[in-house]
Amino acid sequence: MQVLQIKPMESVSVDQERLGALYSQLGQSGAEDVVCRALEELALRLSHCDALFREGPWTELRKNTRSLIAIADQIGMHALSHVASDVTHCIDQRNHVAIAATLSRLIRVGERSLTAVWDIQDITI
């Protein structure tokens, strides 16, 4: 018997126009500060989502996931924002299987999105 392990890969991108607008509005130092704080907050909230799912306070999980949407949109992480919205919808439907699946996807997309932003930090916008 052969066991096949599936490793889902999520396609993510960062809206460089959105980042460019931040840099134009805030200057390089201000924009870098906003982006760094947003990345730290996203990493923290993604980790918190996982813990909240295991503990089960759905209202807190929903609140934490909704906050990801605004932060992700601020720095052009549209895929992350979209998946966080999907998780919120599943929570509203009280569909535990769908919550588990979309939350796993949220964490994958979040990790890849964070990496994508760090990878373009060296690019001048």
Side-chain angles (χ1 to χ4, degrees):
M1 180 170 153
Q2 185 178 21
V3 176
L4 178 64
Q5 182 178 12
I6 299 173
K7 293 183 180 180
M9 294 297 291
E10 300 291 343
S11 177
V12 300
S13 64
V14 177
D15 184 348
Q16 291 193 16
E17 286 183 25
R18 178 67 190 125
L19 286 177
L22 274 176
Y23 276 76
S24 293
Q25 292 170 351
L26 306 173
Q28 183 163 345
S29 178
E32 286 176 358
D33 187 47
V34 166
V35 170
C36 286
R37 279 188 280 131
L39 293 176
E40 288 174 12
E41 194 64 31
L42 286 171
L44 212 103
R45 289 180 188 269
L46 283 167
S47 174
H48 196 55
C49 278
D50 190 40
L52 289 170
F53 175 74
R54 282 182 269 133
E55 295 168 11
W58 301 117
T59 55
E60 284 300 310
L61 177 59
R62 186 184 192 287
K63 180 180 173 184
N64 192 70
T65 304
R66 290 283 306 157
S67 68
L68 286 171
I69 297 169
I71 298 167
D73 281 340
Q74 180 185 26
I75 60 173
M77 293 181 167
H78 301 304
L80 180 62
S81 175
H82 179 77
V83 178
S85 178
D86 291 343
V87 172
T88 303
H89 178 74
C90 292
I91 292 168
D92 291 345
Q93 299 299 314
R94 303 213 187 287
N95 185 333
H96 297 267
V97 174
I99 294 168
T102 55
L103 187 59
S104 291
R105 182 169 185 235
L106 177 66
I107 292 169
R108 284 192 311 271
V109 168
E111 289 170 352
R112 290 186 50 101
S113 295
L114 291 172
T115 301
V117 170
W118 283 117
D119 287 348
I120 66 169
Q121 283 291 349
D122 294 331
I123 298 173
T124 303
I125 298 177

